[in-house]
Amino acid sequence: DQQVKQNSPSLSVQEGRISILNCDYTNSMFDYFLWYKKYPAEGPTFLISISSIKDKNEDGRFTVFLNKSAKHLSLHIVPSQPGDSAVYFCAAPSYNTDKLIFGTGTRLQVFP
Amino acid sequence: DVKVTQSSRYLVKRTGEKVFLECVQDMDHENMFWYRQDPGLGLRLIYFSYDVKMKEKGDIPEGYSVSREKKERFSLILESASTNQTSMYLCASSPPKTGRNSPLHFGNGTRLTVT
């Protein structure tokens, strides 16, 4: 049972344009969401998060939007840069235990 | 800055061998986790621990065990390695309320190949 889903395994975007990465979830008890970024041969690093009491959180070029009624969140990167090329995971803390549930990831490639 | 150190970046083991993956964190975090990453499957939780000598099964514990004798160290053990355990293994740590008050901090991973 995949509670956090990323249906696009890959995305290719030109440098300077917007990248939009999507994530869907099934459990309405989730109250917090995070995005992680992973380069090859490195561990994932925390990027940005959002609480379910908000519908938007912004940090520099990165903005996360949350649509609770649709159980959908998205990560916008504007403008995209070649250094943003990585695998992006969305995640949610389990509502009854202290662990994170991750999606399957989206590989973003930003080309010049 | 939190540092999570995994003892090996690359390991090659034979089928049937007992394999130990070691992880140490330097921030006195209560929670520690072992994930594996496989293409198309994302990050899947193997085991986690809230405290010394305490462990909880994650989503895919079969074929694995763990040990947490000291707060800073969390070991993953493959009792009898099999080829389907070839993967990238990631250790992580956090204070309590993982994800809400503090995100997970990951090590750089161990790429294990079982032949």
Side-chain angles (χ1 to χ4, degrees), chain A residues 45-82:
Chain A
T45 54
F46 169 71
L47 188 57
I48 192 169
S49 62
I50 188 167
S51 165
S52 62
I53 62 173
K54 295 184 176 182
D55 55 15
K56 175 182 174 182
N57 189 28
E58 189 172 354
D59 184 1
R61 296 186 297 113
F62 303 90
T63 303
V64 57
F65 295 92
L66 176 62
N67 182 336
K68 290 189 291 291
S69 61
K71 296 193 181 69
H72 176 83
L73 62 154
S74 60
L75 174 68
H76 293 212
I77 307 173
V78 183
S80 301
Q81 299 174 354

Side-chain angles (χ1 to χ4, degrees), chain B residues 61-79:
Chain B
E62 296 78 20
Y64 303 95
S65 62
V66 289
S67 172
R68 193 159 181 207
E69 297 296 318
K70 293 184 178 181
K71 191 174 185 179
E72 68 270 19
R73 187 179 297 269
F74 192 35
S75 303
L76 180 69
I77 303 154
L78 286 66
E79 297 291 343

